[in-house]
Amino acid sequence: KCEVRHFKGMKGVEAVLREINQEKHYDAFGISSNLAKVVPYYFKHWIQERVDRKLTARMIKAEGDRLKTPELFGLKVYKQLFDVKDIPKEYFSRTATWILKDKVCIILEAVENPVAIIIENREIRDDYYAQFERMWKSARPEKLLR
């Protein structure tokens, strides 16, 4: 089974983020502070739902990028729900990838024309997860938390 769905614009990205919040946990790489600019009105609500439902995540981001979550909800909540590591900026991409239980969500965090894709396929998901694990092992703890 393989299903691919694509979404365009701010409302499309919001739909994908709502779907991500249906999962108790995600692993993600390519995450950046830019997402808050792509969906400026929805972002705080999306994170608030994650906080309220105690949804957890492991995330890999570019060194030096400051995610908005700690400033919005405090460092204590951030540390409880999010395990974040850094990779050097030169290895970073503008495309954020969320790995869920049975699918992969990919969002091009372009402020002007954001697009998102959901791929529902266990083998593709497993390959992205293996890639995430390799990056996770070589990434460094986020400087904010050191």
Side-chain angles (χ1 to χ4, degrees), residues 118-133:
I118 296 176
I119 304 168
E120 293 185 60
N121 178 277
R122 188 59 187 211
E123 288 127 341
I124 292 172
R125 181 263 177 219
D126 290 348
D127 286 347
Y128 270 95
Y129 181 75
Q131 181 181 0
F132 174 86
E133 285 297 329

Side-chain angles (χ1 to χ4, degrees), residues 49-64:
E49 182 178 2
R50 297 200 65 75
V51 170
D52 292 346
R53 295 179 55 211
K54 296 182 177 29
L55 306 177
T56 61
R58 290 189 304 166
M59 301 182 291
I60 300 170
K61 65 173 192 58
E63 192 170 51

